[in-house]
């Protein structure tokens, strides 16, 4: 087991959990100073760091357990090779698009939730809470699919969380560069009235 990688993973997990804890304890101050988007960004980054650290720990642990299992197993003939499962291009494309779309949907829902807080109706309050819940569920589902990919090699499941981050980042960048304000969308404001 690589102790340096395990230590680095523990530090990353600690930083991620401390970030989420800090934002939770100072929610009102950060919201008043930087807005709800900053809170969402900090929490998103903290959760990603936490999941990435857990991923690194799990990977090192499974490498270590596989190495000890091979050492304990009886030696096989040198001529016998185990086949390696090849990932099809179709599986790579499907899971890449799945992760990308999850990331885009999560960020769009978060932007809609942030815009809904400026509308003073019950529907807007419900939309705000529901949007945050949907985005959190998409993050969790993407992370779980990626973790299953640690056990099922050759199915390209590990692409989902990677492309989730790419899709989320591109959505945030697009919304910021184009200066999209969802409060200017008439159908959105009418829907939440």
């Amino acid at each position: 087991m690589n102790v340096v990688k395990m230590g680095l993973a523990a530090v990353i997990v600690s930083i991620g959990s401390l970030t989420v804890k800090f934002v939770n304890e100072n929610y009102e101050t950060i919201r008043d100073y930087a807005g709800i988007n900053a809170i969402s960004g900090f929490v998103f980054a903290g959760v990603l760091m936490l999941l990435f650290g857990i991923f690194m720990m799990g990977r090192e642990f499974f490498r270590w357990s596989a190495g000890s299992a091979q050492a304990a197993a009886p030696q096989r003939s040198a001529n016998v090779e185990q086949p390696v499962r090849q990932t099809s291009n179709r599986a790579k494309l499907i899971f890449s698009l799945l992760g990308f779309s999850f990331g885009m949907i999560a960020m769009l829902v978060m932007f809609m939730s942030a815009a809904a807080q400026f509308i003073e109706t019950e529907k807007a309050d419900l939309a705000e809470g529901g949007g945050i819940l949907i985005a959190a569920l998409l993050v969790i589902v993407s992370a779980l699919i990626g973790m299953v990919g640690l056990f099922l090699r050759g199915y390209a499941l590990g692409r989902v969380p990677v492309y989730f981050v790419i899709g989320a980042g591109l959505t945030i960048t697009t919304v910021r560069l184009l200066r999209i304000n969802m409060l200017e969308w008439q159908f959105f404001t009418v829907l939440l009235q």
Side-chain angles (χ1 to χ4, degrees), residues 23-168:
V23 171
N24 189 30
E25 290 174 352
N26 301 303
Y27 174 79
E28 292 178 4
T29 307
I30 297 172
R31 184 190 64 199
D32 294 340
Y33 181 71
I36 194 76
N37 288 337
I39 292 172
S40 302
F42 282 127
V43 169
F44 186 69
V47 169
L48 281 180
M49 289 181 72
L50 186 69
L51 293 174
F52 181 69
I54 292 171
F55 169 76
M56 285 179 62
M57 283 183 177
R59 195 165 101 183
E60 282 304 310
F61 176 76
F62 288 117
R63 281 185 184 167
W64 172 75
S65 63
S68 61
Q70 285 179 348
Q75 294 295 325
R76 296 184 180 180
S77 171
N79 296 335
V80 179
E81 292 184 14
Q82 289 191 340
V84 177
R85 179 174 172 79
Q86 296 294 321
T87 306
S88 69
N89 290 333
R90 178 185 288 174
K92 289 178 184 178
L93 178 67
I94 289 171
F95 287 111
S96 298
L97 288 176
L98 182 68
F100 191 79
S101 61
F102 278 0
M104 285 181 56
I105 292 168
M107 285 302 106
L108 285 174
V109 167
M110 287 299 291
F111 279 118
M112 288 181 184
S113 295
Q117 81 180 29
F118 295 107
I119 301 173
E120 304 280 334
T121 62
E122 287 185 27
K123 283 185 179 179
D125 291 339
L126 184 64
E128 181 183 354
I132 292 170
L133 179 66
I134 290 170
L137 287 175
L138 287 173
V139 170
I140 291 169
V141 168
S142 296
L144 288 176
I145 291 173
M147 287 182 191
V148 170
L150 293 173
F151 304 106
L152 296 175
R153 296 288 182 176
Y155 291 97
L157 297 175
R159 289 175 167 253
V160 174
V162 173
Y163 279 89
F164 180 94
V165 173
I166 293 170

